């Protein structure tokens, strides 16, 4: 017996446009979900790397400076400032740069301090302002077009106005 070709054609189901749309929608959804998951996990790895870098960063290094004694600008007679502080830098390389250029730093700080009045320095705000000015002065490059230093803080160890 011979099979009827029309019966064979009827046995193969026709794909409807709805099924095709559903298959395409599921495939698109799978692609979007996969892309979102990949982005999430890649961002998580980047965050972990940054966290490790922060944990592995060197602790700050401190450079103590010798005591400075300067005459202040006159207000009520002669006054002077006796000050000692420590500079905070990020690396040991910066310590070496600071130490190698200590005469320049001392000169810059002496010029800065001798231009001050006692009334400017006697308040906490005045001391914070002086810290900012010392940082700016020390961070100026030691040579023309050179790299600036990376001093991030001034920590006072002695501060006397008489």
């Amino acid at each position: 017996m011979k099979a009827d070709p029309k019966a064979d054609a009827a046995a193969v189901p026709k794909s409807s446009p709805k099924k095709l749309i559903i298959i395409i929608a599921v495939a698109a959804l799978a692609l979007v979900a996969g892309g979102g998951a990949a982005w999430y996990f890649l961002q998580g790895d980047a965050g972990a790397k940054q966290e490790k870098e922060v944990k592995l960063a060197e602790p700050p290094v401190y450079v103590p400076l010798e005591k400075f004694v300067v005459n202040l600008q006159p207000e009520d007679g002669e006054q002077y400032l006796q000050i000692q502080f420590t500079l905070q830098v990020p690396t040991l390389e910066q310590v070496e740069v600071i130490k190698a250029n200590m005469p320049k730093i001392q000169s810059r700080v002496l010029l800065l301090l001798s231009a001050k009045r006692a009334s400017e320095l006697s308040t906490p705000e005045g001391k914070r302002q002086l810290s900012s000015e010392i940082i700016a002065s020390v961070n100026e490059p030691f040579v023309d077009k050179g790299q600036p230093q990376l001093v991030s803080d001034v920590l006072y160890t002695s501060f006397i106005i008489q």
Side-chain angles (χ1 to χ4, degrees), residues 4-140:
D4 184 14
K6 289 184 182 179
D8 286 342
V12 176
K14 294 183 182 178
S15 58
S16 68
K18 285 185 181 180
K19 285 184 182 179
L20 185 59
I21 291 174
I22 291 173
I23 291 172
I24 291 173
V26 168
L29 184 60
L31 285 174
V32 169
W39 177 83
Y40 174 77
F41 288 114
L42 290 176
Q43 290 299 321
D45 288 345
K49 287 179 185 176
Q50 287 176 345
E51 187 175 316
K52 285 181 184 177
E53 288 175 11
V54 169
K55 287 181 182 177
L56 297 177
E58 293 183 33
V61 184
Y62 301 99
V63 184
L65 273 69
E66 292 183 20
K67 185 183 324 181
F68 292 89
V69 179
V70 297
N71 290 324
L72 296 172
Q73 291 297 311
E75 289 180 310
D76 298 325
E78 293 291 317
Q79 291 182 304
Y80 72 92
L81 171 66
Q82 177 182 313
I83 186 173
Q84 192 167 7
F85 56 89
T86 300
L87 301 175
Q88 180 179 329
V89 295
T91 64
L92 291 172
E93 290 81 21
Q94 280 293 302
V95 171
E96 296 306 316
V97 170
I98 300 262
K99 285 182 178 179
N101 291 283
M102 191 57 72
K104 289 182 180 182
I105 290 174
Q106 290 172 326
S107 177
R108 291 176 183 181
V109 171
L110 281 172
L111 290 172
L112 177 68
L113 295 174
S114 64
K116 298 293 181 183
R117 298 183 190 285
S119 60
E120 294 175 74
L121 303 174
S122 60
T123 65
E125 294 82 24
K127 290 176 179 70
R128 281 192 283 275
Q129 177 64 32
L130 179 61
S131 292
S132 298
E133 292 173 3
I134 291 172
I135 290 170
S137 176
V138 172
N139 280 344
E140 290 178 17

